[in-house]
Amino acid sequence: MSVPIDLHCHSTMSDGLLSPEELVAHAASKGVRVLALTDHDEVSGLARARAAAEQQGISFIDGVEISVTWRKRTLHVVGLRVNPQHPALLAAFATVRQGRDARARQIAEGLAKAGIADAYEGARECSGNSVMTRSHFAQFMVKRGHAKNVKSVFKKYMVKGKPGYVNHEWMNLDEAMQLIRESGGVAVLAHPGRYDLGFVNMHLLLNEFRDLGGAAIEVVTGSHQPPQYEQFAKLAHRFDLKASQGSDYHGPGMSYMDMGRLPALPAGCVPVWQDWPEASQLQASVS
Ligand code: AMP
Ligand code: MN
Ligand code: MN
Ligand code: MN
């Protein structure tokens, strides 16, 4: 039995391809009943998405996906039910935005050395006014014909050891957790299966995350392979954390999983939305 709730996706306010309104319309067309928008380090799409969700009869959750540096690795922490107007949140994201812009210039320098000119301007054209992400560089390079799709640009240029990779210092886990707490939200560790942590580091991370007040980990996500659903359901249980689910949808052709196609959480998981009024009307349906 699956429930039509999706707590992780992106709009044009970060690296998604659909505007907040288009994204909500897409979610509605796929049967999603409760939706959180979680742009990278950015809350500026939430008011538009909420207004669109009201029109479509979807319950909307204010969310964000925060980039974090933990023990020299990049992790993502999703904040759900945050207050998008909270001054501390807005101030922190303004700083991240500046950092992203500086990183983008360094990325462009690296790419220039590899023979790809004007990448900053090209990525900026793809990002518009929103935060600059590696995905925008990837989109620009696909357009330019440097690779056939976004995935292969990442492989060839944008990951560790490649010319468009820059080691960037994001906020630390402590700060991210504090921001989420202060702004009234709950913290969810995004796609833990993607970090390639060994057993010891994963256990260290989950301990630390729980001790800092973390509420849940993503168990069913478009960023996990199906065998990882059970694996992380067990870890959630062991660390006394709830479970979340989300597609991590970025738009047509840019995602592993479409909206409205999430399988049910494994038996025994406590859903992060268990006590939410927004989710009280949710009906489980046969998947
Ligand atoms: P950034 O936060 O700017 O470093 O960009 C990270 C974003 O790039 C992620 O949220 C994904 O949307 C995208 N991304 C990261 N790795 C890959 C990959 N291997 N293939 C495609 N997209 C990726
Ligand atoms: Mn992304
Ligand atoms: Mn992520
Ligand atoms: Mn995401």
Side-chain angles (χ1 to χ4, degrees):
M1 303 277 265
S2 65
V3 286
I5 179 164
D6 193 325
L7 300 176
H8 188 149
C9 64
H10 298 271
S11 76
T12 45
M13 295 300 160
S14 64
D15 58 348
L17 297 179
L18 303 182
S19 69
E21 291 81 6
E22 290 166 340
L23 187 72
V24 168
H26 182 69
S29 78
K30 296 291 176 176
V32 174
R33 307 294 309 143
V34 179
L35 178 71
L37 172 61
T38 55
D39 277 313
H40 296 288
D41 309 302
E42 187 60 72
V43 287
S44 56
L46 296 177
R48 284 170 58 185
R50 176 174 288 281
E54 260 163 36
Q55 290 201 333
Q56 302 271 1
I58 288 181
S59 297
F60 186 74
I61 310 289
D62 291 306
V64 65
E65 182 174 19
I66 304 183
S67 311
V68 163
T69 298
W70 180 79
R71 295 180 181 238
K72 302 201 168 122
R73 297 163 194 272
T74 300
L75 308 176
H76 289 169
V77 177
V78 164
L80 296 174
R81 307 182 84 222
V82 294
N83 169 7
Q85 268 122 33
H86 196 283
L89 209 62
L90 295 172
F93 294 155
T95 305
V96 176
R97 183 184 273 257
Q98 282 173 3
R100 279 186 172 278
D101 195 68
R103 179 186 71 149
R105 292 184 190 280
Q106 288 176 282
I107 289 175
E109 279 171 30
L111 292 173
K113 284 183 194 144
I116 298 169
D118 303 327
Y120 179 87
E121 293 73 17
R124 182 42 93 194
E125 216 167 274
C126 294
S127 76
N129 280 329
S130 56
V131 290
M132 288 191 83
T133 72
R134 282 183 292 162
S135 306
H136 297 117
F137 282 92
Q139 286 164 27
F140 156 71
M141 286 192 281
V142 172
K143 270 204 242 164
R144 273 278 189 90
H146 294 293
K148 63 180 189 306
N149 57 33
V150 163
K151 272 219 91 48
S152 55
V153 179
F154 266 90
K155 224 169 156 181
K156 271 166 80 175
Y157 295 102
M158 305 305 298
V159 294
K160 220 170 215 156
K162 303 295 176 181
Y165 184 81
V166 169
N167 206 1
H168 190 70
E169 188 76 21
W170 305 101
M171 74 177 80
N172 66 40
L173 184 61
D174 243 350
E175 290 172 296
M177 302 294 280
Q178 193 184 334
L179 273 180
I180 293 170
R181 189 173 52 245
E182 268 180 36
S183 60
V186 294
V188 178
L189 183 65
H191 43 61
R194 248 182 49 186
Y195 305 132
D196 207 17
L197 296 170
F199 180 90
V200 171
N201 279 323
M202 181 56 75
H203 281 237
L204 267 174
L205 171 61
L206 292 176
N207 252 323
E208 202 173 319
F209 177 75
R210 196 236 357 254
D211 290 350
L212 288 168
I217 62 175
E218 287 184 348
V219 169
V220 170
T221 142
S223 297
H224 281 173
Q225 299 298 318
Q228 293 176 308
Y229 304 160
E230 280 296 337
Q231 184 192 343
F232 286 100
K234 283 197 190 116
L235 281 174
H237 188 253
R238 180 177 307 174
F239 286 87
D240 203 16
L241 290 159
K242 293 178 178 161
S244 188
Q245 66 179 44
S247 57
D248 208 353
Y249 185 70
H250 281 70
M254 246 186 90
S255 292
Y256 301 109
M257 197 186 263
D258 197 357
M259 292 185 132
R261 307 201 128 250
L262 296 173
L265 289 173
C269 286
V270 181
V272 67
W273 60 87
Q274 178 177 240
D275 303 322
W276 294 357
E278 298 91 339
S280 62
Q281 304 300 317
L282 275 181
Q283 295 286 325
S285 62
V286 177
S287 54

